[in-house]
Amino acid sequence: MKKAYLLILFIAAIAHSSSAQLKKADVKELAFMAGNWTLKHEWGDMQEFWGEPMGDNMVSTFRCVKDGKVVFYEFMTIEQSDSIPILKLRHFSKGSIGWEDKDKPYLMPATKIDTNEVVFESLDKKVLITYKRIGPLKMDCILDEKGKDGKWKRDVFAYTLSK
């Protein structure tokens, strides 16, 4: 119990320092992300489902399938800290084999929230994930990653809302 409390304090402190421009925000501001989002991509067919905010959290599942075979899965939560939402992400291979340690999800505090847009930043400041609703049926998920060479690479996943 004490370890969990210390971990929460540590995450909150880092979230506070990495999000200087975002003082306070609520997970309910991210309701624009909710829906069943799909796209056809060079990596494969993708589906990302976001549930509506419920209490202090949102949940998401993601899958990428190429030629009828799973490439990888993700399970994501956005949980409200004392002041801001924090994205917690885990990757899985076929067979539900986790990539991250069982007690170490990939943590990304929100650093910016505007109407229909949120930016999450990894604790090491090498990854940004932006969700931007660009219409009633369209949402972009923008993945910016800083490579070992120090250069940023951007992938844009242009999702369409499915029924």
Side-chain angles (χ1 to χ4, degrees), residues 16-148:
H16 178 72
S17 67
S18 70
S19 61
Q21 72 268 25
L22 185 62
K23 300 289 186 213
K24 191 155 180 75
D26 191 280
V27 71
K28 291 172 185 60
E29 296 174 63
L30 307 180
F32 70 88
M33 296 168 60
N36 182 27
W37 302 96
T38 59
L39 78 118
K40 294 198 179 291
H41 189 272
E42 64 187 72
W43 296 357
D45 297 332
M46 296 181 177
Q47 178 189 35
E48 187 165 331
F49 171 81
W50 279 99
E52 294 279 344
M54 181 186 293
D56 64 353
N57 71 89
M58 291 177 72
V59 296
S60 172
T61 57
F62 167 91
R63 62 181 164 173
C64 180
V65 176
K66 187 162 187 160
D67 300 324
K69 307 240 186 245
V70 67
V71 178
F72 70 101
Y73 304 107
E74 293 176 345
F75 179 73
M76 296 170 277
T77 62
I78 299 174
E79 295 178 355
Q80 184 70 42
S81 71
D82 288 340
S83 59
I84 60 170
I86 299 175
L87 175 68
K88 298 176 181 183
L89 173 113
R90 292 183 182 276
H91 297 88
F92 298 89
S93 298
K94 183 177 182 174
S96 198
I97 307 302
W99 297 5
E100 292 80 18
D101 291 338
K102 70 178 183 176
D103 60 346
K104 295 180 184 166
Y106 200 64
L107 301 175
M108 301 186 73
T111 58
K112 175 184 172 188
I113 297 178
D114 284 329
T115 303
N116 293 326
E117 182 177 2
V118 60
V119 178
F120 297 99
E121 183 177 31
S122 63
L123 299 179
D124 63 7
K125 300 190 181 296
K126 293 182 180 180
V127 178
L128 297 170
I129 298 177
T130 302
Y131 285 93
K132 186 174 187 177
R133 186 82 178 250
I134 55 176
L137 301 176
K138 300 285 183 187
M139 182 169 70
D140 286 348
C141 175
I142 304 161
L143 174 64
D144 292 299
E145 294 179 283
K146 189 174 189 178
K148 291 179 182 176

